[in-house]
Amino acid sequence: MSSVALAVTDGMLHFELSLAYEVFSDPAYEVTVCGPRAVRLDRFLLEPDHGFDHLPAAGLVIVPGWADVEVEPPAELVDAVRAAHRAGARVASLCTGAFVLAAAGLLEGKRATTHWAHTEELAARHPGIEVDPDVLYVDNGSVLTSAGKAAALDLCLHLVRLDHGAAVANTIARRLVVPPHRAGGQAQFVRTPVPAREDHPLAELLPWAMERLDQPLTVEDLARRANLSSRHLGRHFRTVTGTTPLQWLLNQRIRRAQELLEATGDSVDTIAAATGMGTATTLRRHFRRALGVPPDSYRRTFRGGRVPPPRDEMVRPGEQ
């Protein structure tokens, strides 16, 4: 069972804290709240499970958003987060929690992100950090940062995928009624599944296509099934999924390939056929382009306990 510690103190944002607690309150994790005393979060009082001395024992330390970025975070929090990282824990910040990681020196010389409204402040205060305002999250291996609010959920689900694979992350996402992967502004890894809403124009088409990923579907096939012109289909896809029909199909094929690589011993040729890629060569080309590693390496790494983080780009239009 993976251990997660939420590092809290007065002045934290309760939204990000609650979000992280909800994601990691799963049988795959043991989650605890660590702080120095009864913590005031806006209008709430929270009694931590342990003190900050418990952080180094955790495998993953989550630092929620810091409410007032104009104020330096408490030294005891900064020292505890730094000590946990030195002890080998992964440390992840949500939203403006990046200011705590920056104060601890964990982001120096690294790429990081935070809420878009505070990226300039983070960069000005810590010029040694490469602040990226255009991504949902940044994974540096042992140190991770997310953009604002809902992007914290993206990072938390990413961490679950790293630890336990896509199937567990997808199960948690379904429980929370959110997509396992999100497209849109500040997006970096477009692998949009069927949206949670059921009243959009593609509500029947997307599940139909997901069940036929092994078949050579075309835009014309999708348009015919949806009783739309190809032009109107493309417009609806942009609105609902944030991408094009062919890009969405390719992303779903890669996602399905990940799940099969994690859960089965099928050969790459068999998985290529099952995902509509046709040949192992085609699957390897698209898989490496999307995730930065070939399918065989992905499978070996996952079975060794950790899935490689995604690159900042998924497949772009025109690369299908």
mmCIF file of all heavy atoms in Angstrom, residues 2-6 24 29 55-63 81 83-93 101 106 139-144 155-164 305-307 309:
data_model
loop_
_atom_site.group_PDB
_atom_site.id
_atom_site.type_symbol
_atom_site.label_atom_id
_atom_site.label_comp_id
_atom_site.label_asym_id
_atom_site.label_seq_id
_atom_site.Cartn_x
_atom_site.Cartn_y
_atom_site.Cartn_z
ATOM 1 N N SER A 2 0.587 2.200 -0.860
ATOM 2 C CA SER A 2 1.360 3.433 -0.950
ATOM 3 C C SER A 2 0.938 4.401 0.152
ATOM 4 O O SER A 2 -0.241 4.523 0.461
ATOM 5 C CB SER A 2 1.145 4.084 -2.319
ATOM 6 O OG SER A 2 1.438 3.191 -3.370
ATOM 7 N N SER A 3 1.917 5.095 0.732
ATOM 8 C CA SER A 3 1.617 6.042 1.805
ATOM 9 C C SER A 3 1.674 7.469 1.283
ATOM 10 O O SER A 3 2.601 7.850 0.567
ATOM 11 C CB SER A 3 2.607 5.876 2.961
ATOM 12 O OG SER A 3 3.936 6.088 2.522
ATOM 13 N N VAL A 4 0.662 8.248 1.627
ATOM 14 C CA VAL A 4 0.562 9.646 1.209
ATOM 15 C C VAL A 4 0.360 10.505 2.447
ATOM 16 O O VAL A 4 -0.504 10.212 3.282
ATOM 17 C CB VAL A 4 -0.619 9.861 0.241
ATOM 18 C CG1 VAL A 4 -0.731 11.330 -0.141
ATOM 19 C CG2 VAL A 4 -0.451 9.000 -1.010
ATOM 20 N N ALA A 5 1.142 11.567 2.575
ATOM 21 C CA ALA A 5 0.992 12.510 3.676
ATOM 22 C C ALA A 5 0.645 13.879 3.118
ATOM 23 O O ALA A 5 1.321 14.378 2.215
ATOM 24 C CB ALA A 5 2.282 12.590 4.493
ATOM 25 N N LEU A 6 -0.420 14.480 3.636
ATOM 26 C CA LEU A 6 -0.817 15.831 3.246
ATOM 27 C C LEU A 6 -0.242 16.801 4.269
ATOM 28 O O LEU A 6 -0.592 16.742 5.457
ATOM 29 C CB LEU A 6 -2.337 15.938 3.193
ATOM 30 C CG LEU A 6 -3.064 14.895 2.339
ATOM 31 C CD1 LEU A 6 -4.569 15.129 2.385
ATOM 32 C CD2 LEU A 6 -2.569 14.929 0.912
ATOM 33 N N PHE A 24 -6.859 10.251 -2.876
ATOM 34 C CA PHE A 24 -5.994 9.240 -2.262
ATOM 35 C C PHE A 24 -6.682 8.445 -1.153
ATOM 36 O O PHE A 24 -6.060 7.568 -0.550
ATOM 37 C CB PHE A 24 -4.712 9.902 -1.751
ATOM 38 C CG PHE A 24 -3.862 10.448 -2.861
ATOM 39 C CD1 PHE A 24 -3.742 11.818 -3.061
ATOM 40 C CD2 PHE A 24 -3.208 9.590 -3.735
ATOM 41 C CE1 PHE A 24 -2.969 12.322 -4.100
ATOM 42 C CE2 PHE A 24 -2.434 10.080 -4.774
ATOM 43 C CZ PHE A 24 -2.317 11.455 -4.958
ATOM 44 N N TYR A 29 -4.072 3.283 -1.248
ATOM 45 C CA TYR A 29 -3.265 4.244 -0.504
ATOM 46 C C TYR A 29 -3.618 4.263 0.979
ATOM 47 O O TYR A 29 -4.739 3.946 1.377
ATOM 48 C CB TYR A 29 -3.459 5.660 -1.062
ATOM 49 C CG TYR A 29 -2.860 5.862 -2.425
ATOM 50 C CD1 TYR A 29 -3.640 5.713 -3.571
ATOM 51 C CD2 TYR A 29 -1.528 6.196 -2.583
ATOM 52 C CE1 TYR A 29 -3.099 5.896 -4.835
ATOM 53 C CE2 TYR A 29 -0.977 6.381 -3.836
ATOM 54 C CZ TYR A 29 -1.761 6.227 -4.957
ATOM 55 O OH TYR A 29 -1.216 6.390 -6.199
ATOM 56 N N LEU A 55 6.344 13.257 8.037
ATOM 57 C CA LEU A 55 6.468 13.407 6.586
ATOM 58 C C LEU A 55 7.569 12.547 5.966
ATOM 59 O O LEU A 55 7.354 11.938 4.914
ATOM 60 C CB LEU A 55 6.696 14.880 6.222
ATOM 61 C CG LEU A 55 5.542 15.858 6.469
ATOM 62 C CD1 LEU A 55 5.916 17.238 5.944
ATOM 63 C CD2 LEU A 55 4.259 15.374 5.809
ATOM 64 N N PRO A 56 8.776 12.476 6.564
ATOM 65 C CA PRO A 56 9.834 11.679 5.920
ATOM 66 C C PRO A 56 9.502 10.200 5.782
ATOM 67 O O PRO A 56 10.131 9.501 4.986
ATOM 68 C CB PRO A 56 11.040 11.892 6.851
ATOM 69 C CG PRO A 56 10.784 13.205 7.503
ATOM 70 C CD PRO A 56 9.293 13.233 7.718
ATOM 71 N N ALA A 57 8.524 9.701 6.526
ATOM 72 C CA ALA A 57 8.163 8.289 6.442
ATOM 73 C C ALA A 57 7.213 8.003 5.288
ATOM 74 O O ALA A 57 6.967 6.834 4.960
ATOM 75 C CB ALA A 57 7.526 7.839 7.754
ATOM 76 N N ALA A 58 6.691 9.050 4.668
ATOM 77 C CA ALA A 58 5.720 8.875 3.587
ATOM 78 C C ALA A 58 6.428 8.662 2.254
ATOM 79 O O ALA A 58 7.531 9.159 2.031
ATOM 80 C CB ALA A 58 4.794 10.088 3.502
ATOM 81 N N GLY A 59 5.758 7.941 1.368
ATOM 82 C CA GLY A 59 6.304 7.779 0.029
ATOM 83 C C GLY A 59 6.019 8.977 -0.846
ATOM 84 O O GLY A 59 6.760 9.287 -1.779
ATOM 85 N N LEU A 60 4.911 9.668 -0.542
ATOM 86 C CA LEU A 60 4.494 10.843 -1.307
ATOM 87 C C LEU A 60 3.988 11.900 -0.345
ATOM 88 O O LEU A 60 3.148 11.618 0.512
ATOM 89 C CB LEU A 60 3.388 10.460 -2.300
ATOM 90 C CG LEU A 60 2.660 11.598 -3.021
ATOM 91 C CD1 LEU A 60 3.622 12.359 -3.927
ATOM 92 C CD2 LEU A 60 1.478 11.051 -3.834
ATOM 93 N N VAL A 61 4.497 13.110 -0.487
ATOM 94 C CA VAL A 61 4.058 14.250 0.325
ATOM 95 C C VAL A 61 3.353 15.238 -0.596
ATOM 96 O O VAL A 61 3.907 15.665 -1.615
ATOM 97 C CB VAL A 61 5.240 14.932 1.028
ATOM 98 C CG1 VAL A 61 4.784 16.214 1.721
ATOM 99 C CG2 VAL A 61 5.881 13.979 2.035
ATOM 100 N N ILE A 62 2.129 15.594 -0.241
ATOM 101 C CA ILE A 62 1.342 16.557 -1.007
ATOM 102 C C ILE A 62 1.279 17.875 -0.241
ATOM 103 O O ILE A 62 0.922 17.892 0.940
ATOM 104 C CB ILE A 62 -0.095 16.051 -1.239
ATOM 105 C CG1 ILE A 62 -0.093 14.719 -1.998
ATOM 106 C CG2 ILE A 62 -0.919 17.106 -1.984
ATOM 107 C CD1 ILE A 62 0.244 14.827 -3.446
ATOM 108 N N VAL A 63 1.618 18.966 -0.910
ATOM 109 C CA VAL A 63 1.526 20.301 -0.318
ATOM 110 C C VAL A 63 0.379 21.030 -1.003
ATOM 111 O O VAL A 63 0.487 21.406 -2.180
ATOM 112 C CB VAL A 63 2.833 21.090 -0.486
ATOM 113 C CG1 VAL A 63 2.703 22.475 0.162
ATOM 114 C CG2 VAL A 63 4.006 20.327 0.114
ATOM 115 N N VAL A 81 9.114 19.800 4.619
ATOM 116 C CA VAL A 81 8.999 19.348 3.230
ATOM 117 C C VAL A 81 10.381 19.045 2.660
ATOM 118 O O VAL A 81 10.582 18.040 1.965
ATOM 119 C CB VAL A 81 8.273 20.418 2.388
ATOM 120 C CG1 VAL A 81 8.387 20.103 0.902
ATOM 121 C CG2 VAL A 81 6.808 20.505 2.800
ATOM 122 N N ALA A 83 13.019 18.144 4.377
ATOM 123 C CA ALA A 83 13.514 16.928 5.034
ATOM 124 C C ALA A 83 12.874 15.680 4.444
ATOM 125 O O ALA A 83 13.526 14.645 4.269
ATOM 126 C CB ALA A 83 13.241 17.004 6.536
ATOM 127 N N ALA A 84 11.587 15.766 4.111
ATOM 128 C CA ALA A 84 10.902 14.620 3.519
ATOM 129 C C ALA A 84 11.501 14.279 2.162
ATOM 130 O O ALA A 84 11.709 13.100 1.830
ATOM 131 C CB ALA A 84 9.406 14.915 3.380
ATOM 132 N N HIS A 85 11.801 15.299 1.376
ATOM 133 C CA HIS A 85 12.409 15.049 0.063
ATOM 134 C C HIS A 85 13.796 14.445 0.222
ATOM 135 O O HIS A 85 14.175 13.510 -0.514
ATOM 136 C CB HIS A 85 12.483 16.359 -0.720
ATOM 137 C CG HIS A 85 13.002 16.195 -2.116
ATOM 138 N ND1 HIS A 85 14.291 16.525 -2.458
ATOM 139 C CD2 HIS A 85 12.413 15.705 -3.246
ATOM 140 C CE1 HIS A 85 14.477 16.255 -3.748
ATOM 141 N NE2 HIS A 85 13.353 15.771 -4.241
ATOM 142 N N ARG A 86 14.565 14.932 1.160
ATOM 143 C CA ARG A 86 15.896 14.370 1.400
ATOM 144 C C ARG A 86 15.818 12.917 1.852
ATOM 145 O O ARG A 86 16.725 12.119 1.572
ATOM 146 C CB ARG A 86 16.623 15.202 2.454
ATOM 147 C CG ARG A 86 17.111 16.555 1.950
ATOM 148 C CD ARG A 86 17.735 17.369 3.071
ATOM 149 N NE ARG A 86 18.247 18.649 2.593
ATOM 150 C CZ ARG A 86 18.665 19.636 3.379
ATOM 151 N NH1 ARG A 86 18.613 19.483 4.700
ATOM 152 N NH2 ARG A 86 19.127 20.750 2.865
ATOM 153 N N ALA A 87 14.733 12.573 2.524
ATOM 154 C CA ALA A 87 14.555 11.194 2.997
ATOM 155 C C ALA A 87 14.080 10.257 1.894
ATOM 156 O O ALA A 87 13.953 9.053 2.116
ATOM 157 C CB ALA A 87 13.571 11.163 4.164
ATOM 158 N N GLY A 88 13.804 10.803 0.713
ATOM 159 C CA GLY A 88 13.418 9.970 -0.417
ATOM 160 C C GLY A 88 11.971 10.056 -0.835
ATOM 161 O O GLY A 88 11.558 9.348 -1.764
ATOM 162 N N ALA A 89 11.176 10.894 -0.181
ATOM 163 C CA ALA A 89 9.764 11.018 -0.554
ATOM 164 C C ALA A 89 9.626 11.841 -1.836
ATOM 165 O O ALA A 89 10.396 12.776 -2.070
ATOM 166 C CB ALA A 89 8.969 11.681 0.560
ATOM 167 N N ARG A 90 8.659 11.476 -2.664
ATOM 168 C CA ARG A 90 8.264 12.373 -3.742
ATOM 169 C C ARG A 90 7.464 13.508 -3.112
ATOM 170 O O ARG A 90 6.684 13.288 -2.190
ATOM 171 C CB ARG A 90 7.398 11.646 -4.767
ATOM 172 C CG ARG A 90 8.141 10.735 -5.720
ATOM 173 C CD ARG A 90 7.175 10.029 -6.642
ATOM 174 N NE ARG A 90 6.269 9.164 -5.897
ATOM 175 C CZ ARG A 90 5.122 8.697 -6.362
ATOM 176 N NH1 ARG A 90 4.701 9.034 -7.568
ATOM 177 N NH2 ARG A 90 4.370 7.901 -5.635
ATOM 178 N N VAL A 91 7.627 14.709 -3.634
ATOM 179 C CA VAL A 91 6.915 15.873 -3.109
ATOM 180 C C VAL A 91 6.159 16.526 -4.259
ATOM 181 O O VAL A 91 6.739 16.832 -5.304
ATOM 182 C CB VAL A 91 7.890 16.876 -2.463
ATOM 183 C CG1 VAL A 91 7.120 18.094 -1.965
ATOM 184 C CG2 VAL A 91 8.655 16.219 -1.323
ATOM 185 N N ALA A 92 4.860 16.731 -4.061
ATOM 186 C CA ALA A 92 4.022 17.333 -5.101
ATOM 187 C C ALA A 92 3.268 18.518 -4.513
ATOM 188 O O ALA A 92 2.705 18.426 -3.420
ATOM 189 C CB ALA A 92 3.030 16.309 -5.655
ATOM 190 N N SER A 93 3.272 19.621 -5.228
ATOM 191 C CA SER A 93 2.503 20.796 -4.799
ATOM 192 C C SER A 93 1.271 20.942 -5.661
ATOM 193 O O SER A 93 1.277 20.612 -6.847
ATOM 194 C CB SER A 93 3.363 22.061 -4.892
ATOM 195 O OG SER A 93 3.686 22.366 -6.238
ATOM 196 N N LEU A 101 7.366 24.682 -2.091
ATOM 197 C CA LEU A 101 8.456 23.897 -2.665
ATOM 198 C C LEU A 101 9.605 24.802 -3.103
ATOM 199 O O LEU A 101 10.780 24.457 -2.946
ATOM 200 C CB LEU A 101 7.953 23.077 -3.860
ATOM 201 C CG LEU A 101 7.388 21.689 -3.558
ATOM 202 C CD1 LEU A 101 6.224 21.743 -2.595
ATOM 203 C CD2 LEU A 101 6.993 20.984 -4.847
ATOM 204 N N LEU A 106 13.422 23.128 -3.622
ATOM 205 C CA LEU A 106 13.213 21.906 -4.390
ATOM 206 C C LEU A 106 12.973 22.162 -5.877
ATOM 207 O O LEU A 106 13.027 21.224 -6.676
ATOM 208 C CB LEU A 106 12.029 21.120 -3.816
ATOM 209 C CG LEU A 106 12.120 20.727 -2.341
ATOM 210 C CD1 LEU A 106 10.952 19.816 -1.961
ATOM 211 C CD2 LEU A 106 13.444 20.035 -2.051
ATOM 212 N N ASP A 139 6.064 17.158 -14.121
ATOM 213 C CA ASP A 139 6.602 16.013 -13.394
ATOM 214 C C ASP A 139 8.112 15.993 -13.573
ATOM 215 O O ASP A 139 8.616 15.736 -14.666
ATOM 216 C CB ASP A 139 5.978 14.721 -13.929
ATOM 217 C CG ASP A 139 6.423 13.483 -13.156
ATOM 218 O OD1 ASP A 139 7.454 13.556 -12.456
ATOM 219 O OD2 ASP A 139 5.750 12.451 -13.253
ATOM 220 N N ASN A 140 8.843 16.286 -12.508
ATOM 221 C CA ASN A 140 10.302 16.207 -12.518
ATOM 222 C C ASN A 140 10.806 14.935 -11.845
ATOM 223 O O ASN A 140 11.968 14.861 -11.447
ATOM 224 C CB ASN A 140 10.906 17.428 -11.816
ATOM 225 C CG ASN A 140 10.757 18.699 -12.628
ATOM 226 O OD1 ASN A 140 11.241 18.787 -13.750
ATOM 227 N ND2 ASN A 140 10.072 19.689 -12.068
ATOM 228 N N GLY A 141 9.937 13.952 -11.708
ATOM 229 C CA GLY A 141 10.341 12.714 -11.049
ATOM 230 C C GLY A 141 10.015 12.748 -9.573
ATOM 231 O O GLY A 141 8.935 12.345 -9.153
ATOM 232 N N SER A 142 10.930 13.255 -8.758
ATOM 233 C CA SER A 142 10.705 13.294 -7.313
ATOM 234 C C SER A 142 10.033 14.579 -6.860
ATOM 235 O O SER A 142 9.640 14.698 -5.691
ATOM 236 C CB SER A 142 12.028 13.119 -6.560
ATOM 237 O OG SER A 142 12.908 14.195 -6.837
ATOM 238 N N VAL A 143 9.897 15.550 -7.759
ATOM 239 C CA VAL A 143 9.243 16.820 -7.438
ATOM 240 C C VAL A 143 8.239 17.130 -8.542
ATOM 241 O O VAL A 143 8.588 17.128 -9.723
ATOM 242 C CB VAL A 143 10.262 17.976 -7.314
ATOM 243 C CG1 VAL A 143 9.554 19.280 -7.011
ATOM 244 C CG2 VAL A 143 11.302 17.664 -6.247
ATOM 245 N N LEU A 144 6.996 17.395 -8.154
ATOM 246 C CA LEU A 144 5.933 17.654 -9.124
ATOM 247 C C LEU A 144 5.157 18.895 -8.701
ATOM 248 O O LEU A 144 4.984 19.145 -7.496
ATOM 249 C CB LEU A 144 4.975 16.463 -9.234
ATOM 250 C CG LEU A 144 5.586 15.093 -9.531
ATOM 251 C CD1 LEU A 144 5.905 14.343 -8.235
ATOM 252 C CD2 LEU A 144 4.641 14.232 -10.382
ATOM 253 N N LEU A 155 -3.084 16.397 -11.624
ATOM 254 C CA LEU A 155 -1.819 15.913 -11.088
ATOM 255 C C LEU A 155 -2.037 14.717 -10.167
ATOM 256 O O LEU A 155 -1.291 13.741 -10.215
ATOM 257 C CB LEU A 155 -1.086 17.025 -10.337
ATOM 258 C CG LEU A 155 0.222 16.605 -9.650
ATOM 259 C CD1 LEU A 155 1.179 15.961 -10.639
ATOM 260 C CD2 LEU A 155 0.885 17.791 -8.961
ATOM 261 N N CYS A 156 -3.055 14.780 -9.324
ATOM 262 C CA CYS A 156 -3.316 13.660 -8.410
ATOM 263 C C CYS A 156 -3.623 12.382 -9.181
ATOM 264 O O CYS A 156 -3.119 11.297 -8.840
ATOM 265 C CB CYS A 156 -4.461 14.002 -7.459
ATOM 266 S SG CYS A 156 -4.039 15.246 -6.209
ATOM 267 N N LEU A 157 -4.427 12.473 -10.234
ATOM 268 C CA LEU A 157 -4.722 11.285 -11.043
ATOM 269 C C LEU A 157 -3.479 10.815 -11.787
ATOM 270 O O LEU A 157 -3.281 9.611 -11.978
ATOM 271 C CB LEU A 157 -5.851 11.596 -12.021
ATOM 272 C CG LEU A 157 -7.234 11.782 -11.383
ATOM 273 C CD1 LEU A 157 -8.248 12.234 -12.438
ATOM 274 C CD2 LEU A 157 -7.706 10.501 -10.712
ATOM 275 N N HIS A 158 -2.637 11.739 -12.198
ATOM 276 C CA HIS A 158 -1.361 11.372 -12.824
ATOM 277 C C HIS A 158 -0.507 10.569 -11.839
ATOM 278 O O HIS A 158 0.091 9.551 -12.206
ATOM 279 C CB HIS A 158 -0.629 12.639 -13.260
ATOM 280 C CG HIS A 158 0.794 12.428 -13.648
ATOM 281 N ND1 HIS A 158 1.164 11.722 -14.770
ATOM 282 C CD2 HIS A 158 1.955 12.822 -13.049
ATOM 283 C CE1 HIS A 158 2.493 11.704 -14.864
ATOM 284 N NE2 HIS A 158 2.982 12.357 -13.824
ATOM 285 N N LEU A 159 -0.459 10.997 -10.589
ATOM 286 C CA LEU A 159 0.306 10.277 -9.571
ATOM 287 C C LEU A 159 -0.244 8.870 -9.349
ATOM 288 O O LEU A 159 0.513 7.915 -9.172
ATOM 289 C CB LEU A 159 0.301 11.071 -8.263
ATOM 290 C CG LEU A 159 1.193 12.315 -8.260
ATOM 291 C CD1 LEU A 159 0.804 13.255 -7.119
ATOM 292 C CD2 LEU A 159 2.662 11.918 -8.147
ATOM 293 N N VAL A 160 -1.564 8.751 -9.360
ATOM 294 C CA VAL A 160 -2.163 7.424 -9.226
ATOM 295 C C VAL A 160 -1.762 6.539 -10.400
ATOM 296 O O VAL A 160 -1.435 5.358 -10.232
ATOM 297 C CB VAL A 160 -3.699 7.522 -9.123
ATOM 298 C CG1 VAL A 160 -4.324 6.122 -9.100
ATOM 299 C CG2 VAL A 160 -4.109 8.286 -7.865
ATOM 300 N N ARG A 161 -1.772 7.098 -11.622
ATOM 301 C CA ARG A 161 -1.347 6.319 -12.788
ATOM 302 C C ARG A 161 0.090 5.868 -12.651
ATOM 303 O O ARG A 161 0.439 4.742 -13.004
ATOM 304 C CB ARG A 161 -1.503 7.149 -14.073
ATOM 305 C CG ARG A 161 -2.911 7.244 -14.594
ATOM 306 C CD ARG A 161 -2.955 7.762 -16.023
ATOM 307 N NE ARG A 161 -2.382 9.087 -16.150
ATOM 308 C CZ ARG A 161 -3.048 10.214 -15.955
ATOM 309 N NH1 ARG A 161 -4.318 10.176 -15.593
ATOM 310 N NH2 ARG A 161 -2.464 11.377 -16.101
ATOM 311 N N LEU A 162 0.960 6.739 -12.144
ATOM 312 C CA LEU A 162 2.355 6.370 -11.953
ATOM 313 C C LEU A 162 2.490 5.203 -10.982
ATOM 314 O O LEU A 162 3.281 4.285 -11.194
ATOM 315 C CB LEU A 162 3.154 7.559 -11.411
ATOM 316 C CG LEU A 162 3.302 8.795 -12.297
ATOM 317 C CD1 LEU A 162 4.150 9.833 -11.588
ATOM 318 C CD2 LEU A 162 3.922 8.440 -13.632
ATOM 319 N N ASP A 163 1.727 5.248 -9.915
ATOM 320 C CA ASP A 163 1.853 4.247 -8.850
ATOM 321 C C ASP A 163 1.158 2.942 -9.169
ATOM 322 O O ASP A 163 1.678 1.867 -8.877
ATOM 323 C CB ASP A 163 1.288 4.808 -7.540
ATOM 324 C CG ASP A 163 2.092 5.959 -6.980
ATOM 325 O OD1 ASP A 163 3.278 6.072 -7.350
ATOM 326 O OD2 ASP A 163 1.543 6.750 -6.200
ATOM 327 N N HIS A 164 -0.033 3.025 -9.749
ATOM 328 C CA HIS A 164 -0.875 1.832 -9.853
ATOM 329 C C HIS A 164 -1.470 1.589 -11.233
ATOM 330 O O HIS A 164 -2.265 0.670 -11.403
ATOM 331 C CB HIS A 164 -1.998 1.904 -8.815
ATOM 332 C CG HIS A 164 -1.484 1.980 -7.406
ATOM 333 N ND1 HIS A 164 -0.903 0.909 -6.767
ATOM 334 C CD2 HIS A 164 -1.433 3.010 -6.526
ATOM 335 C CE1 HIS A 164 -0.531 1.276 -5.552
ATOM 336 N NE2 HIS A 164 -0.837 2.547 -5.378
ATOM 337 N N GLY A 305 6.990 -1.296 -11.072
ATOM 338 C CA GLY A 305 6.388 -0.502 -10.005
ATOM 339 C C GLY A 305 6.105 0.932 -10.330
ATOM 340 O O GLY A 305 5.469 1.634 -9.571
ATOM 341 N N ARG A 306 6.596 1.427 -11.489
ATOM 342 C CA ARG A 306 6.342 2.844 -11.765
ATOM 343 C C ARG A 306 6.236 3.061 -13.260
ATOM 344 O O ARG A 306 7.106 2.668 -14.015
ATOM 345 C CB ARG A 306 7.467 3.719 -11.198
ATOM 346 C CG ARG A 306 7.087 5.199 -11.156
ATOM 347 C CD ARG A 306 8.140 5.994 -10.400
ATOM 348 N NE ARG A 306 7.657 7.333 -10.139
ATOM 349 C CZ ARG A 306 7.885 8.366 -10.932
ATOM 350 N NH1 ARG A 306 8.574 8.211 -12.024
ATOM 351 N NH2 ARG A 306 7.420 9.561 -10.613
ATOM 352 N N VAL A 307 5.150 3.684 -13.679
ATOM 353 C CA VAL A 307 4.936 4.001 -15.079
ATOM 354 C C VAL A 307 5.647 5.309 -15.404
ATOM 355 O O VAL A 307 5.598 6.252 -14.624
ATOM 356 C CB VAL A 307 3.427 4.147 -15.385
ATOM 357 C CG1 VAL A 307 3.200 4.455 -16.847
ATOM 358 C CG2 VAL A 307 2.695 2.878 -14.996
ATOM 359 N N PRO A 309 6.435 9.005 -16.608
ATOM 360 C CA PRO A 309 5.542 10.147 -16.773
ATOM 361 C C PRO A 309 5.391 10.490 -18.233
ATOM 362 O O PRO A 309 6.286 10.237 -19.045
ATOM 363 C CB PRO A 309 6.269 11.273 -16.027
ATOM 364 C CG PRO A 309 7.702 10.873 -16.055
ATOM 365 C CD PRO A 309 7.718 9.381 -15.996
#
